[in-house]
Each structure stands twice: as C-alpha cells, then as structure tokens.
Amino acid sequence: MHIVVCMKQVPDSAQIRVHPVTNTIMRQGVPTIINPYDLFALEEAMRWRDKFKGALTVLTMGPPMAEDSLRKALTFGADRAVLLTDRFFAGSDTLATSFALASALEKISTEFGAPAMIFTGKQTIDGDTAQVGPGIAKRLGLNQLTYVSRIVELDQAADKIVVERRAEGGVQILSTRLPVLITMLEGVNEIRRGTLDDALRAARAKIITWNAADAGITDLTLCGLRGSPTIVKKVFAPSPRAEKAHKIPTADVPVELLAENVISEIFKRQPAVEGDLMKFSAGQ
Amino acid sequence: MIEERFDAIVVGAGPSGNAAAYTMAKEGLKVLQLERGEYPGSKNVQGAILYANALEKLIPDFREDAPLERHIIEQRIWTMDDKSYVGMHYRSEDFNEERPNRYTIIRAQFDKWFSRKVREAGATLLCETTVKELLRDAKGKVIGVRTDRDNGVAFADVVILGEGVNGLVGQRSGLRSELKPDSVALAVKEMHFLPREVIESRFNLKDNEGVVIEAMGTITAGMTGTAFLYTNQESISVGIGCIVSDFAENGATPYGLLEAFKNHPSIKPLLANSECKEYAAHLIPEGGYNSIPELYGDGWIVVGDAGQFVNAVHREGSNLAMTTGRIAGETVVWLKRRREELSKANLAEYKRRLDETFVMKDLKKYRRIPAFLHNNKHVFGLYPKLVAAAAQTWFRVDGADKLSKEKEILKSFRKGRTLSGLIGDAFKLARSWR
Ligand SMILES: Cc1cc2nc3c(=O)[nH]c(=O)nc-3n(C[C@H](O)[C@H](O)[C@H](O)COP(=O)(O)OP(=O)(O)OC[C@H]3O[C@@H](n4cnc5c(N)ncnc54)[C@H](O)[C@@H]3O)c2cc1C
C-alpha cells in the first residue's frame, strides 16, 4: 500500500510577533516547524504503512528550506520525501496550492505507484483555512473524509474504509471506498521518535525536488499569485476588548463571600444561565 | 542498531565536537556525530567572543561566509563599586585589520554554520539524539555508544566526547568524577536588542566595529566572578557569572546579580530602551589545570569543556574547545593512517600534542589562580572599593594639595588591608600569574 502525506513547513506560531505599527507578521528569525496538525496525519499514516508493510511518501510545497521539515519527517520514519519548489508558486492561495499539490500527486502516482490514501492535517496553523485537503480531493476526484478522529477499519481487498469523524454535535461513522483523502484531527496519536537507523537514513537521504515543470504543470497562470483569486484586504491584530469585560470588585470583600459575589454577578448579567442551571440540576 | 561501523563517533556539535568531526571527515574518515539539541547551537548560550586564530587553523577562509557580528576594536576592563568604575580601555585602529583577531558572534547561528561545514566535509550528523552511555568490549575498550533512540546503538573505532561542561556521558561511564561546585561557574546572560545606529553611537563605533566590557568588583557581591557586555550588530549580550559554591554560600541569585549589574549607573544608559529577548543560564568549567580529568583511554578521547578546557582569566573557551577538538581529530587521523590501534597507549599522542599548544601552556601558567581567587575574596569587594575611592580622591579638585592626597590614598589602602596583607596579596597574585 502506498500512502502520501501532504505537509507544510510553518513558522512556529508560539514564537511569532505582530509588528506593532504595520500589523504584519514578523517572520524574521522565527524558527520553522512542521505544521503541528500534520504530525497527527503523519503518525496515523505510518501506523497503517507499518501494518500493511507499505511505503510512505511525504510531499510538501514550499521554499527550498522546506527541505528541513521533509528531512524531519524522514527521521520520524517516512520512506521518501518530495519537495515541490518553484518561484512560480510564490504567493499561492489555497486554490493554487491544491492545484500544485494535486499535480505533484499525479506525478507521484506514475513514478511511485498510486496512493490508496492521502493524508493531510486538519488545517495549518498559519493559514487556518482547512481548504487545501478538500481542494486536492476535488481535483483528483477522490472521496474525502475530513476531521477524522479514528480510522476504525481498513479493508484493502474490498477497498473499504470506515472512520469516525468529529462533527458538530457528535461523532459520525462514515464509510467509503479507497482511494481516499483524509484530513486528520489533532490529539489522536503521538508522533514517534524514529529509530537511530531512521535518523541515519534521513540524514543521508536525497530529497526528491521538483519544480513546476517536473510536476507536469504547463499552465503557470494557475500557479502562485497569478493563480490565486483570494485577495487579502486587510490584516489586523485583534485588540483586547476591555469594554466587554465586567469588573467584579474584590477588594474589601471577605473571602467567604468572594465566590458568592462572582456567581450572583454572573446571574445578574446572564439571567438565562441561572434558569438553565436550575433546570439542569432539577433533572439530575 | 546501526550495522555500519564508523571510524569515529563524535558526541556533541559544539565548537569542540565540530572541530574534531571536521578534521576527521575532511581527511576522509567515516564520522558519525550525535547531538542532543534540535539543531547545533540550539542548546548554546547566545552571544560570545570568537577567537579567529583557532578557527583559522581549521577553516582558513571562514570570514567569507561565517555569521560574524562585529570585530572587536576596543576592550574595556572595569573595576566597579556600587556607584563607579575605574577602567582600563584599549582601542586601536590596528584592530581594523584585514583579518581581525576577535569577533562577537551569536552562538546559535555560528554553531549552525560550523555544523554545515562539518557536514559538507562529509560527516553525518544526527540531531535530537542523546548519547546515554559508552559501550565497551570484554577488555573494557570503548567500541561505541548507546543513544536514547530505539535500536539506538552505533559502533566505531573511537568515541570523541565533546559533550560540554556537564559531561554526563563521561561521568556515567566512569571516565571522570562529578563536577565540583567550587570549580564551575554559573553564568546568566541576556540579549538586548537595539537598532544598529543606536549601538554604534552609544559605543562610538562605525561599520562592524565592536566593543567588549569585562567587569569585576562589588557587582558579584563578594563572590568570585565577573560580568561582561559584548556588542553585536543589533543586540548587546550582557551577563554575569560566579562560582557555584559561592552562590550556595552567599545565597544570592544569578538573576538578581544580573538585574543589579544592568541597573548599575555605568551600565544602565548603555542598555536604555532596549528590548530584552532571550535569557539563558549555563555552566562554565573554571577549575583550570588542576581539574582536568583523564583525557583519553582505550577507544575514547575528551575534548572541549568536557575536559575543563577553559581559561577563566581571559574568558577563553571556544578557542580551547576548537583546538582540543582539532588535535584529537588529527591524532585519530594520524593513527589511522599508520594503521595503529586507537588504544590508550597510542592515544597518549593526543596529550603530547596538546602539551605543545597554548591550551596546556596557558592553563598550566594559571593553575594557581582558581585557588588564589577562592581564598582571596577581598579581590572582588575590598579592592574595587579602595580603587574607586582612590580615583575619586585623586580627581576631585577641592583645595587639598596633591601630596596630601597621595598620603590619604595610601592610608585608605593600609586601613582597608594591613601592609603585610597588601604585600602578601601582590606576592601571591604574582606567583599565581607566573
Ligand atoms: C555565559 C558564557 C559565556 C561565554 N563566553 C565565551 C566567549 O565569549 N568566548 C569563548 O571562547 N568562550 C566563551 N564561553 C565558553 C564556551 O561557550 C565554551 O568553552 C564552549 O562552548 C565549549 O565548547 P564545547 O564544544 O566543548 O561544548 P558546548 O559548546 O557546550 O557543546 C556541547 C554540545 O554537546 C551536546 N551534548 C551534550 N551532551 C550530549 C549527549 N549526551 N549526547 C549528544 N549531545 C550532547 C550539547 O547539546 C552541545 O551542543 C562562554 C560560556 C558561557 C557559559
């Protein structure tokens, strides 16, 4: 079984700062990491790869330095890494990104065998759109399972997969046919460390590097800024909404009364809460 | 387990490990280097002084692409009391030479660059891989290492330990005893960011010129230690360090000392309006010559901080690390070429070669200094106060004649410390210095 994981190198958002004047993200000197959501996809993919003794390819589109995150994925235990990089891809929105990745995936299919499953993370921490995975599925005509929290069953002979999907108000159990694109939910597994052999293999591995032409892309107007209809109108840093906060004075209030005061303040401002709570406790 | 056998395994990707790995890889040896951090430099304290000579011996044209901050054209040595400093400054156009002698660097960037050179030379580096212990054969010869990864064993003809001051692998493997609190300093350090032009005007610099301030005195609250300040391109490294056993005795906190140093009236304006971004603490082995552990044995060599190779008096460390690493590498290459075993007897060549370098000669010269400072704490409290008071008496124009001033100054010294004490200190210091 061949599995592909699409991942992205992103700035470590824990270390990002917003420029106080221009409101733009200051990327300078910010370390890059593998998009944390993608690690859940990678671990899940490796588990199924191990189970079926298959092969796992990781794919990323990005600048040449994105090689670092691919090498890291190899250290975790991926078998092969493909870097899609070309200045024509600069400024891609989700439409152009899914186009480029879908093209590369077609090329991967012919070079290394058609994948039965393609994984992505739920979303990225820098764009937060969650559109690229579904975009790829649509372009490649694959069934898609998004926000998957568990793969319940995978029957390769019958081309059948059953998963749990987190949906509003509950968990859905979905079944579909392979090949499939899965976007994996966070917190469902923990990325492995990789053995010493994996680390050695990764350090020496050659990263397969393709430009647009290598990936079979002929129409460059579908790539990068030109292929991206999304326009960012304005970027702003949210300001603290002090005016919406209510202050509950605590000075000079005896400790025994503190909790009492806070609760009655809340009930005063949100009368429905009190009623709901009453109903809830009555029902218990 | 890695099936493949390596000529050498290097533990650590700091200056010493990199120098060793580079030297051996460049000569065609098969080198595996293991680093605990996420990348080389990720565990290293930020700003530092790079001494060009030691690096030139490895990479003669390093200036072409190494991430250097400023070359140092001015050195300030300060003796401080709570309100003042008495300084000796040396600044010279001679330092604006084609191949400057000292630079400020930011270790995280520099170590990354150095590591790239090591890999380009052919060594294989694995990061996020911690060496847990040395493996030995039945006769006790070291034959490889065990790491914290699954199936984490690798074999080599020799293991070079460049693991830094803590040296846990060496300790755990019984090569040396634990660090002694009185021979290791704890240093804390911050990076303060400022625009380039501000730094240049505050320190009277142009282009990539830089200044170093080294300070001692009441700032260490009577403990053995020093403080420092280096100018980088767009930041200032500032820090202070004292001997660990002194901290334990004195009860002062490293951070408290650094706060006080930063707020000293002579330092505060230099850091005004800066943005402090990074804080770090690190140990420095300062025991000197007398605390150097066993440096080699059957199948193993120790280099850099792990071997206590730091000249605390001159604040030199990375150059000793690079030099010991290089010489360890050269020794291994030499033995391999002659098809000699990497046994204890043969690796003694490493020590013989080291004895011929400034590393051993300097450490030997200063071997009495750590004990002198340990037993003469007034060097850090009383003398700076006396010197500052003397300077004030001398420079204040107040109607007193100069001869009386001289007498007053002498009297203050003799009151602070008996005449025999003064002479004794001078004598002991001179002897330690020799
Ligand atoms: C605050 C401060 C300021 C200093 N300023 C200067 C200066 O201005 N100029 C100067 O020349 N020197 C300076 N020094 C000293 C200098 O930093 C050291 O002498 C030098 O870094 C020693 O190099 P090293 O390679 O031996 O050790 P390190 O630089 O400490 O490198 C050791 C490496 O080994 C890795 N490691 C440790 N254990 C393991 C393990 N078990 N498995 C795998 N990897 C491991 C560590 O992660 C680390 O990367 C300063 C030190 C301090 C603390």
Side-chain angles (χ1 to χ4, degrees):
Chain A
M1 178 187 289
H2 186 201
I3 305 174
V4 179
V5 178
C6 300
M7 42 174 243
K8 186 181 183 190
Q9 187 177 48
V10 295
D12 186 353
S13 61
Q15 301 192 43
I16 270 190
R17 289 175 315 151
V18 176
H19 193 284
V21 181
T22 60
N23 275 332
T24 50
I25 286 175
M26 305 204 294
R27 280 174 193 259
Q28 214 190 1
V30 178
T32 52
I33 53 173
I34 296 177
N35 174 44
Y37 294 125
D38 298 347
L39 294 178
F40 302 106
L42 180 58
E43 178 57 34
E44 197 62 30
M46 286 195 288
R47 289 181 186 181
W48 292 100
R49 185 266 324 258
D50 294 346
K51 190 155 182 187
F52 287 96
K53 305 212 171 359
L56 193 157
T57 304
V58 282
L59 165 67
T60 194
M61 180 181 91
M65 70 162 192
E67 192 189 310
D68 293 349
S69 53
L70 288 175
R71 215 170 275 285
K72 192 134 196 187
L74 292 173
T75 308
F76 291 133
D79 300 295
R80 180 191 297 123
V82 178
L83 172 62
L84 186 61
T85 186
D86 200 314
R87 64 193 170 84
F88 291 114
F89 297 140
S92 294
D93 68 1
T94 54
L95 194 72
T97 303
S98 57
F99 168 71
L101 286 174
S103 307
L105 283 161
E106 283 184 275
K107 168 90 180 230
I108 285 175
S109 287
T110 50
E111 294 264 313
F112 311 116
M117 295 195 281
I118 297 172
F119 283 87
T120 72
K122 178 186 82 171
Q123 64 196 49
T124 56
I125 57 165
D126 60 347
D128 282 315
T129 65
Q131 291 169 358
V132 172
I136 293 170
K138 181 79 187 139
R139 286 175 190 279
L140 295 179
L142 301 174
N143 300 320
Q144 55 173 300
L145 298 167
T146 53
Y147 302 101
V148 170
S149 56
R150 195 162 85 90
I151 298 177
V152 185
E153 186 192 331
L154 186 65
D155 185 340
Q156 216 188 345
D159 267 353
K160 188 185 152 197
I161 183 170
V162 181
V163 303
E164 288 179 4
R165 173 184 195 268
R166 189 176 71 187
E168 269 155 47
V171 174
Q172 301 172 332
I173 296 181
L174 303 175
S175 162
T176 188
R177 301 203 153 278
L178 301 176
V180 68
L181 182 133
I182 296 172
T183 79
M184 210 62 211
L185 214 59
E186 71 275 21
V188 297
N189 56 37
E190 196 180 333
I191 191 76
R192 65 190 67 183
R193 279 214 59 217
T195 64
L196 193 59
D197 288 285
D198 288 328
L200 183 66
R201 197 172 41 80
R204 290 173 172 170
K206 207 182 132 21
I207 305 284
I208 301 161
T209 305
W210 291 340
N211 61 21
D214 295 334
I217 296 171
T218 46
D219 188 354
L220 291 172
T221 62
L222 298 176
C223 296
L225 213 50
R226 279 196 291 171
S228 300
T230 314
I231 295 167
V232 178
K233 254 183 104 177
K234 187 178 161 202
V235 179
F236 60 93
S239 49
R241 288 189 289 179
E243 73 277 7
K244 287 216 173 163
H246 296 295
K247 279 200 179 143
I248 303 172
T250 53
D252 305 323
V253 179
V255 192
E256 317 77 83
L257 291 181
L258 268 180
E260 199 60 38
N261 275 8
V262 170
I263 290 168
S264 58
E265 278 294 321
I266 293 173
F267 287 164
K268 201 161 83 198
R269 286 172 212 279
Q270 305 281 341
V273 172
E274 185 168 11
D276 283 353
L277 267 180
M278 289 310 200
K279 258 188 263 160
F280 181 74
S281 48
Q284 285 297 302
Chain B
M1 187 184 92
I2 295 183
E3 294 290 343
E4 188 178 335
R5 201 185 164 83
F6 290 87
D7 288 318
I9 290 174
V10 176
V11 183
S16 66
N18 280 340
Y22 181 85
T23 306
M24 294 185 292
K26 207 177 50 153
E27 294 300 321
L29 263 50
K30 230 162 83 173
V31 179
L32 178 68
Q33 189 181 26
L34 304 170
E35 165 59 45
R36 151 183 76 135
E38 194 188 346
Y39 55 87
S42 61
K43 297 264 176 184
N44 284 318
V45 196
Q46 324 92 345
I49 310 278
L50 173 77
Y51 304 93
N53 181 268
L55 182 56
E56 249 166 11
K57 292 222 162 83
L58 286 159
I59 306 177
D61 55 1
F62 76 88
R63 292 179 181 82
E64 277 170 23
D65 57 356
L68 306 169
E69 292 286 310
R70 294 172 180 274
H71 63 274
I72 295 156
I73 64 149
E74 182 175 335
Q75 179 89 22
R76 304 179 184 173
I77 296 180
W78 289 4
T79 309
M80 303 174 82
D81 72 2
D82 295 344
K83 284 192 206 149
S84 42
Y85 74 83
V86 179
M88 186 193 76
H89 294 195
Y90 180 68
R91 177 186 177 108
S92 175
E93 263 312 293
D94 285 346
F95 289 133
N96 275 322
E97 55 207 325
E98 204 170 302
R99 299 162 75 80
N101 180 257
R102 297 183 301 157
Y103 295 91
T104 50
I105 52 168
I106 291 167
R107 277 289 297 273
Q109 290 166 17
F110 177 82
D111 285 17
K112 243 187 194 170
W113 168 86
F114 198 178
S115 171
R116 206 183 72 225
K117 294 282 167 187
V118 174
R119 278 171 289 149
E120 282 168 7
T124 303
L125 167 72
L126 310 185
C127 290
E128 291 179 287
T129 306
T130 303
V131 172
K132 301 304 265 188
E133 59 175 353
L134 299 173
L135 300 174
R136 296 169 190 269
D137 66 9
K139 287 192 204 129
K141 180 182 190 300
V142 169
I143 50 169
V145 298
R146 179 186 309 284
T147 69
D148 65 337
R149 285 188 181 271
D150 282 349
N151 303 327
V153 167
F155 296 103
D157 293 343
V158 66
V159 176
I160 297 189
L161 292 164
E163 50 176 335
V165 56
N166 285 313
L168 289 179
V169 179
Q171 260 180 51
R172 223 177 275 130
S173 309
L175 308 185
R176 68 183 90 94
S177 47
E178 246 177 80
L179 284 172
K180 291 197 200 67
D182 62 354
S183 60
V184 52
L186 175 62
V188 290
K189 206 162 170 178
E190 284 180 1
M191 292 271 274
H192 285 253
F193 286 78
L194 277 169
R196 211 190 159 97
E197 317 77 66
V198 174
I199 292 181
E200 288 172 2
S201 77
R202 267 183 208 174
F203 289 88
N204 190 17
L205 302 168
K206 61 179 187 333
D207 306 326
N208 282 333
E209 294 172 344
V211 167
V212 169
I213 300 176
E214 282 176 37
M216 52 138 6
T218 57
I219 46 172
T220 55
M223 301 184 282
T224 303
T226 52
F228 56 85
L229 183 153
Y230 314 143
T231 54
N232 304 313
Q233 273 177 10
E234 294 186 324
S235 60
I236 293 174
S237 307
V238 53
I240 193 163
C242 293
I243 297 290
V244 168
S245 56
D246 287 0
F247 274 125
E249 236 167 75
N250 177 299
T253 65
Y255 189 67
L257 284 191
L258 183 56
E259 275 306 303
F261 180 59
K262 287 185 330 196
N263 282 307
H264 189 282
S266 303
I267 293 290
K268 201 173 177 176
L270 298 175
L271 299 174
N273 302 323
S274 63
E275 190 193 348
C276 172
K277 264 215 212 140
E278 290 170 26
Y279 173 80
H282 205 272
L283 296 174
I284 310 181
E286 299 205 340
Y289 189 78
N290 293 326
S291 62
I292 296 177
E294 290 274 309
L295 292 175
Y296 58 89
D298 275 334
W300 59 271
I301 307 184
V302 175
V303 295
D305 276 11
Q308 300 268 327
F309 290 114
V310 165
N311 182 339
V313 178
H314 291 263
R315 303 200 60 83
E316 293 174 27
S318 61
N319 53 334
L320 282 72
M322 284 181 204
T323 304
T324 52
R326 172 175 61 82
I327 289 186
E330 286 171 357
T331 307
V332 169
V333 170
W334 184 73
L335 290 172
K336 282 249 151 202
R337 286 265 159 78
R338 296 161 49 116
R339 302 192 185 283
E340 305 253 20
E341 257 206 76
L342 295 161
S343 62
K344 179 165 186 176
N346 286 336
L347 288 173
E349 177 69 13
Y350 166 56
K351 176 75 184 350
R352 273 196 290 278
R353 291 185 182 204
L354 267 193
D355 283 338
E356 295 306 309
T357 64
F358 75 95
V359 174
M360 280 301 184
K361 289 181 181 169
D362 286 355
L363 289 181
K364 204 164 176 179
K365 173 173 165 8
Y366 290 136
R367 67 191 175 283
R368 294 195 193 91
I369 294 272
F372 170 78
L373 295 177
H374 190 72
N375 298 324
N376 294 274
K377 292 273 158 48
H378 47 279
V379 169
F380 298 94
L382 176 66
Y383 282 148
K385 278 189 203 151
L386 291 175
V387 168
Q392 182 156 144
T393 310
W394 189 244
F395 291 120
R396 207 181 266 283
V397 175
D398 53 6
D401 68 283
K402 297 295 183 254
L403 188 64
S404 308
K405 277 181 185 286
E406 273 176 28
K407 281 188 181 149
E408 194 188 326
I409 288 171
L410 265 179
K411 217 169 74 197
S412 75
F413 270 77
R414 288 178 60 174
K415 218 169 83 192
R417 189 122 170 86
T418 61
L419 190 59
S420 60
L422 284 173
I423 293 172
D425 285 346
F427 180 74
K428 275 185 284 181
L429 180 63
R431 214 184 50 161
S432 310
W433 204 262
R434 248 200 343 240

